[in-house]
Amino acid sequence: SAGLAAAAMAGGEPGEPNLEEFVYGEEDFVLQAAGWGDPDSVPSRFDRVLLAGWSDRMERGLFRYRLGPLPTRVLPGPVRLVAQLNQQRSAERRPPQPVRSLRDPFDPGAFNFTRLQPAELLFRLRRTGGPGPPPDPLLVAINASPLMRGHVLLLPDPARRLPQVLTAPALLGALEAALLSAQPGFCVGFNGLGGGASVNHLHLHGLYLGRPLPLEEAPAEPLGPCLGLLRAGPAPAFLFFVPGAAELEPVSRAVCRAAEHVAAAGLACNVLATRGDPPAGPGAGGSRGLRVLLWARRPLFGPKAGEPFTVALCELAGLLPLPAEPLYRDITEVQALSAIRQHLLPEPELLRLGEELARLLEN
């Protein structure tokens, strides 16, 4: 039976001898998470263990700053961008690593996740039993510069020293983690090289969003049997949908094939998986599942002068963590969209890429 077991780590990194294992099976997946604002919503075992460990590390001072409630406002306008003031993150976080290309190799001399303190690790996720082949076990670690309460890193075996290029077994583990949460706002995401990744060592993010985003229910235009184009939010995204546990593995492979094609075209990518409606939208029938969004965008190497904020997966999804009070107070939807959209592809190029991806995924 699935249980949280303290387990000796076999052949792993030194310094993590007794990392707790969170062992789960298909019976632990919460296929229908609570609705937003549902008074009866109860955290799952995964939520309880993760948030208790996260709060414990905050009390022990293992983060770079103490995170309290963050001022939040919805910018007036049709896109309904959510702005959040997080001054400490921009001041205290580790400077992002310089990235020179989409194919930068892992650099053992730069900061990487083999250097985390043992206390920064919460547990290891490991599936037993079906459906299909198990994913990479993932280490769940605190993000020491958190965007919000419960912000964690999902790390496929750091000892393998893989660069920040998405793999299907790592994505599968992250999608399964999303289904282990009973909270509608728990989502997982990936920033590629040139797409806002600050560490070139394979990792994904887990985040508990505090409010729904339009991309959870907006309908998508079909591009192929398993691919849509979602135009809601500040940036159009390619949409994949996971209706249930049986589709987790094929969708993980499809997203990674698409990401490889995007990189081969010289573009950066960001990925977000969130609870959401089927591609046709909430009125079309069908249960909610996981929406997996892939953004293809122009790569950015090094900071860009004069940008109000970095554009990574949160910003593409419509959540703006902002570094300074005047910016948070005064920014308009038009200014924010202008900052985001300069990284995007022109419409003809986006549609051409969509056709290529649809053909690729049909074969």
Side-chain angles (χ1 to χ4, degrees), residues 197-220:
S198 60
V199 177
N200 185 12
H201 190 184
L202 184 54
H203 66 287
L204 295 97
H205 294 266
L207 298 161
Y208 284 89
L209 302 186
R211 60 179 67 210
L213 297 171
L215 46 73
E216 291 176 24
E217 58 175 39

Side-chain angles (χ1 to χ4, degrees), residues 95-139:
Q97 285 172 15
V99 175
R100 287 165 295 278
S101 83
L102 299 172
R103 303 284 183 199
D104 270 9
F106 176 84
D107 176 2
F111 172 80
N112 63 75
F113 299 116
T114 65
R115 302 186 185 181
L116 293 179
Q117 301 174 46
E120 293 177 79
L121 304 173
L122 301 180
F123 51 87
R124 180 187 289 98
L125 276 174
R126 184 167 63 81
R127 168 153 70 77
T128 58
D136 282 351
L138 296 178
L139 291 180

